[in-house]
Amino acid sequence: MRHLITVGMGIVMAAGATISPGQAMAQAADPAISTVRALNDGLLSIMRAGKAAGPKGRAATIGPVIDRAYDLPLMTRLSIGSGWTTIKPADQAALTAAFRRMTVSQYAANFDDFSGQTFTLDPKVEARGGDRLVRTTLNDPKGETVAIAYRLRNSGGTWKIIDVFYRNSISQLAIRRADFARIVQNKGARALVDHLNALSVKSGG
């Protein structure tokens, strides 16, 4: 597996909004926790598959897991911001597909080998307005750990991830919005599709 700070979608570049303490709900069976647990299990699965599966094999395995865990259409829209409403429906669909492709390929690239890593889930779920925050830790046998917090929102009765915070402070959504919105504003939606596809290729997808 690549260095732990590059896990997930591999685009941590700068600090975003810091997560402050929220109202905790000690509900071990919370459905939001179930979503994150399923994602963690999927990641361990592709890590164990490792190099033998190859990037495409790992992507094929983790893709359906990501579809269930993440609200990818909403994340695409939130990552672009207010400019989303000015984009043609066909380009919106292309952006969502490219966003998914990038997400899957980056997970497949970053979680590519297994040497005894584990995930620890915090049973306390924090309420954030109508959303929920679930914290987990990726533990490496060598002693290195990465704290990851997932923000989830109810979508059709299912809790799905809409943002990821690395080291409990780096908002993936905030980082992407700064980058994606600039591309759409300066070059248009198709340029962002090309950018996302290039990121997928770079990750081996």
Side-chain angles (χ1 to χ4, degrees), residues 108-184:
N110 289 324
F111 290 85
D112 60 351
D113 67 78
F114 181 76
S115 55
Q117 291 87 352
T118 61
F119 284 97
T120 302
L121 269 169
D122 189 335
K124 294 182 293 183
V125 178
E126 294 182 17
R128 294 297 176 90
D131 297 342
R132 294 181 184 176
L133 195 78
V134 177
R135 300 178 189 274
T136 188
T137 304
L138 174 58
N139 311 294
D140 189 273
K142 297 178 181 179
E144 187 176 11
T145 62
V146 175
I148 309 169
Y150 295 97
R151 187 165 190 152
L152 297 94
R153 184 168 295 175
N154 193 309
S155 175
T158 302
W159 287 93
K160 292 198 167 190
I161 298 165
I162 64 167
D163 196 7
V164 185
F165 298 83
Y166 291 97
R167 304 294 190 190
N168 286 331
S169 65
I170 303 172
S171 167
Q172 196 171 73
L173 179 60
I175 294 169
R176 284 179 164 163
R177 185 184 293 124
D179 185 28
F180 295 177
R182 175 184 54 81
I183 293 173
V184 170

Side-chain angles (χ1 to χ4, degrees), residues 42 45-47 49-64 104-105 107-109 111 204-205:
S45 177
I46 62 170
M47 288 164 69
K51 307 292 185 183
K56 294 188 182 301
R58 293 192 300 275
T61 299
I62 200 62
V104 172
S105 65
Y107 266 115
F111 290 85

Side-chain angles (χ1 to χ4, degrees), residues 93-107:
L95 282 165
T96 301
F99 187 92
R100 179 191 183 275
R101 191 178 306 113
M102 176 200 67
T103 302
V104 172
S105 65
Q106 290 185 339
Y107 266 115

Side-chain angles (χ1 to χ4, degrees), residues 177-194:
R177 185 184 293 124
D179 185 28
F180 295 177
R182 175 184 54 81
I183 293 173
V184 170
Q185 181 178 1
N186 294 336
K187 299 181 180 180
R190 298 306 305 185
L192 181 55
V193 171
D194 292 342

